[in-house]
Each structure stands twice: as structure tokens, then as C-alpha cells.
Amino acid sequence: GIQLAIKRIETYLPEQKKLWESSEEPVATIFNKQKLTELEEEQKIIKNQLSELDRQTQNINDHITKMKPIKHEKNDEGTDHGESDDLTIYCASCSQPIGIKKALLHMERCFSKLEGMVSFGSIVKNEGTDIFCD
């Protein structure tokens, strides 16, 4: 098919074929070649980055392999700041130290207890401190 088309062009349009063969490359071909070289450069950069990441991954895996046999020693000398069980905060209402896990529940109960002890503008005298006058 292609050979037949070439023969037809040679017989019917010999001048056009010579002009086509002698002319410069089309603009689209030049643009595509430039784009191809840009993509090849980008591909080289990405391959270098991937090889660097592979090298870093191998270093990390080697480090993990070296560290696996090492046993973790517990620190019984005092405060271990890594665990949240030891952390305490102070209640805003009663100023008692409370563990982090039970702080919210304690503060809610403590606030409602103090709120119940205070009465504003009531006939009944409040229980507890005389912060507010009756």
C-alpha cells in the first residue's frame, strides 16, 4: 500500500515529491523533538531522584536491621516523660492534682458541686464559702 502510494506520487507529482523531500522539517516535528528532549531530561532527573530514594530506603532498612536486636531498657529512676499515665494537671475549681485520663470527669463533677453550693439571690443561705452575699 505504501509503496503503491509512493509510485503514484512519483508519477503524478514528481516535482511536489522533490520539493517535499528537500524542504526543511515541519514545525510540528521540530516542536515534538524539543518536547521529547525536555521529557527525556525530566525522566533522567526523576530516575536520579528515585535512585536516591531507593538508597535512603536501603539505609533505613539497614539501620532497622541493626537496631532490632537491641533491647529497650526501662527507666525506673524517676519520671518517664514518654508515658501519659504520669501526667497530672490541677483542677481549676478545687486545685487538686488529677490524672490526665480522669481530669474532664473530675472537673465537671467538681464544678457542678461548687455551683450547687452557691445560690444567687436566693432566700436560702449558700453552703460553703461566703464569696457571694445573700
Side-chain angles (χ1 to χ4, degrees), residues 91 94-96 98 102-111:
C91 176
C94 66
S95 302
Q96 291 183 351
I98 313 157
K102 296 182 180 182
L104 183 62
L105 180 64
H106 169 84
M107 287 184 185
E108 286 177 355
R109 287 182 180 167
C110 194
F111 177 75

Side-chain angles (χ1 to χ4, degrees), residues 78-103:
T79 59
D80 186 13
H81 297 292
E83 297 179 9
S84 63
D85 294 340
D86 296 344
L87 296 177
T88 57
I89 60 172
Y90 293 93
C91 176
S93 302
C94 66
S95 302
Q96 291 183 351
I98 313 157
I100 283 283
K101 293 181 180 177
K102 296 182 180 182

Side-chain angles (χ1 to χ4, degrees), residues 12 34-35 47 80 94 112 121 133:
Y12 294 113
Q34 290 173 349
K35 188 70 173 173
K47 281 185 179 182
D80 186 13
C94 66
S112 46
C133 58

